[in-house]
Amino acid sequence: MKNLIPLVILLVVSLLGVLMPAIPTQIVTEGLNSGDMAWMLVATAFVLLMTPGLAYFYGGMVNHKNVISTMLQSFIAMGVISIVWVVVGFSLAFGDSIGGWVGNPMTFFMFNGVLDGKPWSLAPTIPLALFAFFQLKFAVITPALVTGSLAERIKFRSYILFMVLFSIFVYAPLAHWTWHPEGFLFKLGVLDFAGGTVVHMSAGWAALAGALYLKRRRSHEEANFLPPANIPYVLLGTGLLWFGWFGFNAGSAVGAGPLAVSALAATNTAAAAAGLAWVLFDTAKGKKPSALGFSIGAVVGLVAITPACGFVTIPQSIFIGTISSMVSNYLAHLRTKTTLDDTLDVFPCHGVGGMMGMIMTGIFASKGVNGAVVDEGLAYGTFTLFKNHMIALVLVSVFAFVMSYVILMITDFIEPLRVSEEDEKVGLDISQHDEFLVEA
């Protein structure tokens, strides 16, 4: 009976799609710009590509018994969150504000009023539906990022439930706080160009909560570490992520203009600096330069520049990438000295990387780069923005961690989160999916 519930839910949603077809009355075309629309269509596709990129990135790092399960946890997010977003997710994030905390779930329920809606106020030159689907791709990858800390021990069905609850109760409110004109962090003046708080900090803190709640893998307790299954997968994933991140960050300019160019350039530069910094920091400690090290470092740089890319200069992005990479490298190394089993170091890389990006934005944000900046960063002699970012950093951290932990508890109550010891030993590829990787 329990196996039927997810199918019944999908059938009910499908029936709602027939009963509430959201047929447009008159599609708005006034003020739309074909160049902006073309770029945002491409950027939306770029961002979607990041999730398969993440699947390869994570899938190459786990042991050979868990490659397929780890990759599927990213791919399945494209299915699950796409439906959640159409039904209620977009409304919760960008619907009519309820006190600056969350959107009214009925504003765009079942995408009603999206095809024929007025363009989003901060994206006036593209259709509302295009803006909604661009934002969907951010919602898709966020819970997928969390899986790196839960890898090799989370039950697949429980992960699906966690993902839905996380998207509704953590991701959507944070998106509303930060990116909705009535959101309380937006009104406070917090700057997050493309998701340092909404995506990376939320995923990082949820990852930490998950690692603490699920506790250690048996192999971690026994210090029986299997090598990464496929480092070329990690390199491929890094390339796809780096490529897709241009849509993630430059696309957040919601137009094909100078700001998109600046964001793209800062993104590439920070990733390059961070990848080099990770490798050089390793070699300074006596390690050999590694493909894994450059890949992880580059992704940390991409994470750190995400909130800042539309507000800082290109030379400043070198500093942001370098320092953030070294901090994450040190904390990832420190984590290995503890009993915390964050399988793929999601918190030191994504969580800390996102926080570093928010701090750096509070220091370097400039009106010269983005005219929408009201209060410039600490480097220009003003303290207001930096103070507001520190407030946001604490609030978002506490909210994301506590809510994620509660969601994990609720999920575990409904469906046990962790696989059995035997299933963990066999590997999740076989125990959860009856599939396995055939080695050449």
Side-chain angles (χ1 to χ4, degrees):
M1 181 64 183
K2 188 182 290 188
N3 291 336
L4 286 175
I5 294 175
L7 178 59
V8 170
I9 293 171
L10 180 59
L11 288 171
V12 169
V13 171
S14 301
L15 183 60
L16 277 176
V18 174
L19 299 176
M20 303 177 67
I23 298 172
T25 52
Q26 183 176 357
I27 295 177
V28 177
T29 58
E30 184 179 354
L32 300 183
N33 181 284
S34 59
D36 290 346
M37 287 189 287
W39 161 236
M40 291 307 296
L41 285 166
V42 172
T44 300
F46 275 25
V47 182
L48 180 64
L49 187 63
M50 291 173 66
T51 300
L54 182 70
Y56 276 98
F57 186 73
Y58 280 175
M61 289 188 195
V62 296
N63 68 58
H64 68 278
K65 299 184 294 183
N66 296 288
V67 174
I68 296 169
S69 61
T70 300
M71 295 182 75
L72 180 59
Q73 287 165 7
S74 290
F75 274 92
I76 200 72
M78 294 194 290
V80 174
I81 302 303
S82 291
I83 301 303
V84 171
W85 192 253
V86 168
V87 175
V88 74
F90 182 57
S91 295
L92 292 171
F94 295 98
D96 297 334
S97 187
I98 300 175
W101 294 98
V102 73
N104 186 331
M106 300 310 296
T107 304
F108 302 113
F109 183 73
M110 294 298 295
F111 253 39
N112 182 48
V114 173
L115 276 177
D116 54 353
K118 293 181 180 179
W120 184 247
S121 60
L122 301 178
T125 61
I126 65 172
L128 180 62
L130 179 52
F131 174 77
F133 268 81
F134 177 67
Q135 290 295 336
L136 160 66
K137 311 312 178 189
F138 290 68
V140 165
I141 199 171
T142 305
L145 289 169
V146 180
T147 62
S149 74
L150 316 175
E152 303 183 358
R153 62 198 187 279
I154 189 168
K155 187 180 290 187
F156 184 72
R157 187 161 54 192
S158 303
Y159 163 64
I160 300 296
L161 178 57
F162 168 79
M163 176 168 45
V164 171
L165 295 177
F166 175 86
S167 181
I168 292 172
F169 294 106
V170 178
Y171 180 85
L174 286 176
H176 189 84
W177 297 1
T178 309
W179 289 332
H180 195 289
E182 296 301 317
F184 85 92
L185 290 182
F186 187 99
K187 293 173 81 171
L188 187 64
V190 171
L191 301 176
D192 183 357
F193 194 76
T197 54
V198 181
V199 176
H200 298 292
M201 281 182 60
S202 70
W205 283 107
L208 180 61
L212 290 170
Y213 190 85
L214 282 180
K215 299 182 173 59
R216 301 165 72 186
R217 290 163 292 162
R218 186 65 182 267
S219 61
H220 191 267
E221 292 176 347
E222 296 172 351
N224 180 26
F225 300 114
L226 295 172
N230 195 320
I231 290 177
Y233 271 17
V234 180
L235 289 168
L236 174 61
T238 303
L240 292 172
L241 285 167
W242 195 325
F243 179 82
W245 227 292
F246 293 136
F248 200 84
N249 286 0
S252 293
V254 288
L259 184 58
V261 175
S262 177
L264 184 147
T267 299
N268 189 79
T269 307
L276 292 173
W278 191 287
V279 169
L280 295 175
F281 194 58
D282 276 351
T283 55
K285 294 185 292 183
K287 295 182 179 180
K288 293 181 179 180
S290 67
L292 201 61
F294 182 81
S295 298
I296 294 171
V299 170
V300 169
L302 291 164
V303 170
I305 200 62
T306 292
C309 61
F311 306 113
V312 303
T313 67
I314 298 166
Q316 288 168 341
S317 69
I318 301 175
F319 179 82
I320 292 171
T322 299
I323 299 304
S324 299
S325 180
M326 292 174 66
V327 169
S328 288
N329 183 306
Y330 175 73
L331 291 176
H333 173 72
L334 204 62
R335 198 273 309 162
T336 63
K337 305 297 183 183
T338 71
T339 57
L340 177 66
D341 188 10
D342 180 348
T343 312
L344 304 181
D345 284 323
V346 179
F347 180 72
C349 295
H350 286 276
V352 173
M355 286 187 278
M356 287 296 297
M358 287 299 292
I359 293 169
M360 294 294 185
T361 307
I363 295 172
F364 294 118
S366 167
K367 292 180 182 178
V369 177
N370 189 329
V373 173
V374 176
D375 297 305
E376 291 193 303
L378 195 62
Y380 305 101
T382 55
F383 183 67
T384 302
L385 179 65
F386 185 79
K387 177 196 70 177
N388 290 341
H389 272 223
M390 294 305 99
I391 293 171
L393 189 149
V394 172
L395 290 176
V396 170
S397 298
V398 171
F399 174 79
F401 178 80
V402 173
M403 283 298 295
S404 297
Y405 202 90
V406 170
I407 290 170
L408 288 162
M409 292 174 64
I410 293 170
T411 303
D412 198 25
F413 177 77
I414 297 171
E415 177 76 30
L417 273 168
R418 187 160 178 158
V419 298
S420 68
E421 187 174 319
E422 180 60 29
D423 284 349
E424 184 180 341
K425 183 178 180 180
V426 170
L428 272 58
D429 290 357
I430 291 176
S431 69
Q432 298 296 293
H433 308 294
D434 279 334
E435 296 174 311
F436 58 91
L437 190 66
V438 178
E439 296 185 25

